[in-house]
C-alpha cells in the first residue's frame, strides 16, 4: 500500500513529511514536527519556530536539551574511550554503578546490570524472576492491568495492555495481569509467584497512581510468599517524582528496580538494580548485552545523575509540582477535571475526550505536551525548569485549552 493513501487530499505535506512517510517504519503514526535543535526546555523546528518542550522526549531529557554537563561528558568520553565490551570494565561504568546503588539505597550487596533501554531493563528483570524460580514450579509473574513495561516480546508479555499484544500472540507464558488493588494481589499471591512487577505511577496508562498503601502491602505479601518485588522506575526514576525513585515515597525496599529514560538524559541507557539476595541470582553466562554499560553511555548517565544531585533537581521537581498544580487550577478552564501524578510526572485529566485536540492546539501555540489517553494530557518536563518555564507553560497551555473549549462551544458540545 502506498503511504500517500493516508494523506488528506487538501493538505500539502512538507518534504520531510514525505521522507518520513516513505522511509520510516509505520509502527508510529505521522510525526508531528521536525525538530532541528534544542536548548534547555525549548526546541526549534525546521522553520525556526520555538516550542516549550514539556514532554522532554517522554521523561528522558532530565537536564533539558544540550545541557553543558551532558555535552561535556559525551564529548570528553567520546575522545577518550567509547566501548570495550563487557569482557572488560571501564571507570565510568564502575562509577555509574556505584552511584545508582547509592541513590537507590541498595547498600553494599546491590548490583547493577546495564542495558540500553527500558525494555531491556525489564527483560533482565523477567530473567531475574525466572532465575528466582529456577528448578521449581515458581513460574508465575504478576503485573498490573494497564501497566506498561515495553515492546519487546518479553516486556510486551509483562505489559498489561491486551490491545498491544493482540497482533503478536502467543505471548511468553507465565505472566498474569491483575487489577491494581490490594485485594486482587492478596487473592493472586501464592508460593508459585516468582515476582510482582509494578510501576509506582502508571505513566503510559495516563499517569495513574497506585492505591494508597499498595507498595507497602505488595512488599509484605511478596515477602510472605517468597516472591520478588520488582518496581519499574523507568518513567518515575531519576528524580522525576520528587524522590530519586518512586518506591522511596512508600518507604519500602524492593528486590529490584528497572530504570532507563531519565538516567541517560537523552543517551540510550537502561539498568536493572538488584537489592540483597536478589543480587546473587545472575551468574556467569545467564545474561548479557554488547553495548550495555559501555563507557560512553555510563559517562553520560553518571554525569547526568551527578548534575541532578548537585543542582538539587529532585527537590526542584517537588517544588515545581506545587506551582504547576496551583497554576493549572488557577487557569479555571472548564476542560480541566483535575491533576494526577507526582513531581514532574503529571496527568491533567480532561472533562471531555479531547486530549488529541489539546495537544494539536498546544503545538500551534508553541508547546509540546502529550495525550497519554483520550482524556489525559501528560507533562514530563525537564527537571531543570524554573519560574520562567512554569509561567510560559501556564500561558501556552491556557491558550491551548481556550482554543479547544471555544471550538467545542461552537460545535454546541458541552465543554
Ligand atoms: C518507557 C517505559 C518502558 C519501556 O522503555 P523503552 O526504553 O521504550 O524500551 C518500560 N516501562 C515504563 C514504565 C516506561 O515508561
Amino acid at each position: 500500500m502506498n503511504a500517500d493513501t493516508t494523506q488528506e487530499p487538501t493538505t500539502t505535506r512538507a518534504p520531510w513529511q514525505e521522507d518520513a512517510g516513505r522511509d520510516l517504519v509505520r509502527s508510529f503514526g505521522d510525526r508531528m514536527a521536525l525538530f532541528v535543535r534544542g536548548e534547555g526546555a525549548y526546541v526549534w523546528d525546521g522553520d525556526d519556530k520555538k516550542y516549550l518542550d514539556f514532554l522532554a522526549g517522554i521523561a528522558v531529557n532530565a537536564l533539558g536539551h544540550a545541557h553543558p554537563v551532558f555535552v561535556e561528558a559525551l564529548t570528553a568520553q567520546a575522545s577518550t574511550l567509547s566501548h570495550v565490551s563487557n569482557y572488560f570494565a571501564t571507570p565510568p561504568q564502575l562509577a555509574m554503578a556505584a552511584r545508582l546503588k547509592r541513590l537507590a539505597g541498595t547498600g553494599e550487596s546491590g548490583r547493577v546490570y546495564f542495558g540500553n533501554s527500558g525494555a531491556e531493563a525489564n527483560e533482565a528483570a523477567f530473567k531475574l524472576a525466572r532465575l528466582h524460580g529456577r528448578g521449581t514450579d515458581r513460574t508465575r509473574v504478576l503485573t498490573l492491568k494497564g501497566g506498561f513495561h515495553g515492546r519487546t516480546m518479553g516486556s510486551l508479555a509483562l505489559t498489561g495492555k491486551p490491545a498491544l499484544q493482540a497482533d503478536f500472540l502467543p505471548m511468553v507464558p507465565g505472566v498474569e495481569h491483575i487489577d491494581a488493588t490490594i485485594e486482587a494481589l492478596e487473592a493472586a499471591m501464592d508460593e508459585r509467584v516468582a515476582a510482582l512487577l509494578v510501576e509506582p505511577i502508571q505513566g503510559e496508562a495516563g499517569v495513574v497512581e497506585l492505591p494508597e498503601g499498595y507498595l507497602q502491602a505488595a512488599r509484605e505479601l511478596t515477602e510472605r510468599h517468597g516472591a520478588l518485588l520488582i518496581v519499574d522506575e523507568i518513567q518515575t526514576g531519576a528524580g522525576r517524582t520528587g524522590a530519586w525513585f518512586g518506591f522511596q515515597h512508600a518507604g519500602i525496599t524492593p528486590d529490584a528496580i528497572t530504570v532507563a529514560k531519565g538516567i541517560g538524559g537523552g543517551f540510550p541507557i537502561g539498568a536493572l538494580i538488584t537489592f540483597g539476595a536478589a543480587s546473587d541470582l545472575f551468574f556467569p553466562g545467564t545474561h548479557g548485552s554488547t553495548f550495555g554499560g559501555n563507557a560512553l553511555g555510563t559517562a553520560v548517565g553518571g554525569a547526568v545523575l551527578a548534575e541532578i544531585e548537585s543542582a538539587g533537581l529532585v527537590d526542584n521537581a517537588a517544588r515545581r509540582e506545587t506551582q504547576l498544580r496551583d497554576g493549572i487550577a488557577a487557569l479555571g478552564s472548564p476542560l480541566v477535571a483535575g491533576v494526577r501524578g507526582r513531581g514532574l510526572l503529571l496527568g491533567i485529566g480532561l472533562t471531555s475526550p479531547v486530549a488529541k485536540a489539546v495537544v494539536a492546539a498546544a503545538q500551534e501555540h508553541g508547546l509540546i505536551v502529550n495525550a497519554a489517553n483520550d482524556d489525559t494530557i501528560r507533562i514530563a518536563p525537564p527537571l531543570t525548569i524554573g519560574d520562567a518555564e512554569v509561567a510560559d507553560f501556564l500561558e501556552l497551555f491556557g491558550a491551548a485549552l481556550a482554543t479547544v473549549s471555544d471550538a467545542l462551544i461552537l460545535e454546541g458540545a458541552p465543554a
Side-chain angles (χ1 to χ4, degrees):
M1 190 167 61
N2 191 303
D4 285 345
T5 53
T6 55
Q7 187 180 330
E8 300 276 330
T10 50
T11 52
T12 47
R13 283 159 59 100
W16 72 264
Q17 286 174 305
E18 297 294 337
D19 293 347
R22 184 189 59 243
D23 298 339
L24 300 180
V25 72
R26 296 177 60 185
S27 64
F28 292 97
D30 286 345
R31 267 59 169 191
M32 297 160 67
L34 179 75
F35 288 130
V36 295
R37 66 191 168 93
E39 190 183 326
Y42 294 87
V43 287
W44 284 262
D45 70 14
D47 299 322
D48 214 31
K49 177 177 167 181
K50 183 182 180 183
Y51 301 79
L52 176 64
D53 182 6
F54 256 46
L55 184 59
I58 318 182
V60 165
N61 306 306
L63 303 182
H65 298 276
H67 192 287
V69 165
F70 180 95
V71 174
E72 165 64 20
L74 185 64
T75 51
Q77 192 61 44
S79 57
T80 306
L81 182 73
S82 288
H83 179 86
V84 295
S85 91
N86 282 303
Y87 288 121
F88 312 98
T90 64
Q93 179 187 52
L94 301 178
M96 187 174 180
R99 187 179 289 277
L100 283 171
K101 282 177 59 174
R102 175 168 60 79
L103 297 175
T106 68
E108 257 316 273
S109 62
R111 293 183 185 277
V112 178
Y113 168 81
F114 285 112
N116 310 287
S117 66
E120 284 175 78
N122 282 336
E123 292 289 345
F126 202 163
K127 288 180 87 169
L128 188 78
R130 288 285 197 257
L131 286 172
H132 181 58
R134 190 167 63 111
T136 73
D137 64 354
R138 197 182 273 284
T139 54
R140 302 174 63 208
V141 176
L142 306 181
T143 69
L144 302 189
K145 286 181 183 165
F148 181 81
H149 301 292
R151 299 283 206 152
T152 56
M153 288 306 289
S155 64
L156 182 61
L158 298 168
T159 290
K161 290 169 174 277
L164 300 187
Q165 300 174 335
D167 294 322
F168 303 99
L169 301 175
M171 286 290 114
V172 176
V175 183
E176 296 163 50
H177 306 116
I178 61 173
D179 287 330
T181 64
I182 295 171
E183 298 72 49
L185 181 59
E186 274 169 345
M189 284 303 303
D190 65 18
E191 312 306 308
R192 293 190 52 237
V193 176
L196 168 69
L197 173 70
V198 293
E199 300 160 85
I201 297 172
Q202 294 185 332
E204 298 305 303
V207 192
V208 177
E209 292 170 71
L210 290 173
E212 189 65 40
Y214 188 90
L215 282 178
Q216 291 90 336
R219 176 68 287 182
E220 202 270 310
L221 286 163
T222 48
E223 205 156 86
R224 190 192 313 161
H225 292 279
L228 301 178
L229 172 60
I230 308 175
V231 183
D232 181 338
E233 297 273 4
I234 288 163
Q235 195 155 153
T236 48
R240 180 150 296 278
T241 67
W244 272 102
F245 300 101
F247 77 83
Q248 291 167 337
H249 293 294
I252 57 143
T253 303
D255 296 295
I257 64 174
T258 51
V259 293
K261 293 200 165 93
I263 65 162
F267 194 96
I269 183 168
L272 170 75
I273 305 169
T274 54
F275 295 64
S279 301
D280 297 329
L281 289 169
F282 279 109
F283 54 93
T286 45
H287 201 37
S289 157
T290 297
F291 292 127
N294 82 9
L296 195 56
T298 50
V300 176
V304 167
L305 294 175
E307 176 65 15
I308 293 173
E309 195 166 14
S310 64
L313 299 182
V314 182
D315 288 344
N316 191 54
R319 197 161 55 242
R320 301 302 166 191
E321 173 189 354
T322 312
Q323 246 180 340
L324 284 164
R325 281 181 178 271
D326 292 350
I328 291 163
L331 291 175
S333 170
L335 273 180
V336 174
V339 177
R340 301 187 297 270
R342 195 148 188 180
L344 290 176
L345 179 59
L346 297 177
I348 303 160
L350 303 177
T351 50
S352 297
V354 292
K356 284 206 174 74
V358 172
V359 168
Q363 193 176 329
E364 279 295 308
H365 287 282
L367 171 68
I368 304 300
V369 294
N370 160 257
N373 57 39
D374 287 347
D375 57 9
T376 306
I377 299 295
R378 172 173 47 180
I379 59 172
L383 306 184
T384 49
I385 59 166
D387 289 342
E389 287 85 359
V390 170
D392 210 6
F393 167 77
L394 292 170
E395 185 185 325
L396 297 169
F397 190 58
L401 289 173
T403 300
V404 174
S405 54
D406 288 354
L408 285 177
I409 289 162
L410 277 179
E411 286 168 17

